[in-house]
Amino acid sequence: MQIEEYFNFLAENDIRIKGTRIGIETVLDEYIHEGKTAEAIADRYHTVTLEQVYATILYYLQNREKVGAYLENYLEYCRKAREEYEKNLPPVVVRLRALKAKRRAISNNSRPNIPKGGSASTIPPLPEDEQK
């Protein structure tokens, strides 16, 4: 079996592991950037077999330049997609982010001030009804 037979080459920028919807970039990101073992990757993505993970890693090792360019293009696509998303946030995301910022501000303002180098004994005790 040729190593390429493990993959579906859907487009120049879309290589999937045959029989799955998982792109090689998913497996390779876990392997290259996260330092995960093939076994850990196969455990995380249940539709991919250990053999397929090893085939993906081998394909990368045999084609470092080509696959490296593929991964760079994929990361650039992701960066541009994130930028575009941030420019055109759905209204619900805008509201949720505003709520989160408001809660964070309230939470930060309600914390007791502990002097630098202070200890827990400098924190005032809770009222009796909150101690339970």
Side-chain angles (χ1 to χ4, degrees):
M1 178 180 230
Q2 296 291 322
I3 195 74
E4 287 81 7
E5 293 178 36
Y6 282 93
F7 310 105
N8 288 323
F9 295 85
L10 303 176
E12 189 175 298
N13 61 351
D14 191 5
I15 305 172
R16 308 273 174 103
I17 298 171
K18 198 171 272 186
T20 75
R21 294 169 49 186
I22 296 178
I24 65 169
E25 65 278 353
T26 302
V27 169
L28 294 175
D29 181 61
E30 295 278 334
Y31 176 73
I32 297 167
H33 298 114
E34 302 296 324
K36 300 283 174 85
T37 64
E39 290 79 5
I41 297 167
D43 284 343
R44 179 167 182 181
Y45 300 99
H46 300 287
T47 59
V48 178
T49 66
L50 183 58
E51 180 180 351
Q52 289 172 315
V53 173
Y54 275 117
T56 304
I57 294 167
L58 180 60
Y59 180 71
Y60 162 70
L61 293 174
Q62 289 179 346
N63 301 281
R64 280 184 192 253
E65 212 170 289
K66 183 170 118 179
V67 176
Y70 173 89
L71 293 173
E72 285 179 30
N73 291 337
Y74 174 76
L75 292 173
E76 180 63 17
Y77 166 80
C78 290
R79 186 190 62 74
K80 286 180 180 177
R82 271 191 307 275
E83 284 177 2
E84 190 62 31
Y85 178 78
E86 289 297 324
K87 289 179 191 174
N88 302 299
L89 291 173
V92 68
V93 173
V94 173
R95 285 193 308 271
L96 288 172
R97 285 185 178 179
L99 283 170
K100 183 178 178 182
K102 185 177 179 181
R103 284 187 178 175
R104 186 176 293 138
I106 290 169
S107 175
N108 289 340
N109 289 335
S110 66
R111 291 187 180 145
N113 282 335
I114 300 175
K116 194 171 188 174
S119 69
S121 62
T122 62
I123 299 173
L126 290 173
E128 284 187 37
D129 59 327
E130 291 184 31
Q131 289 180 2
K132 294 178 184 170

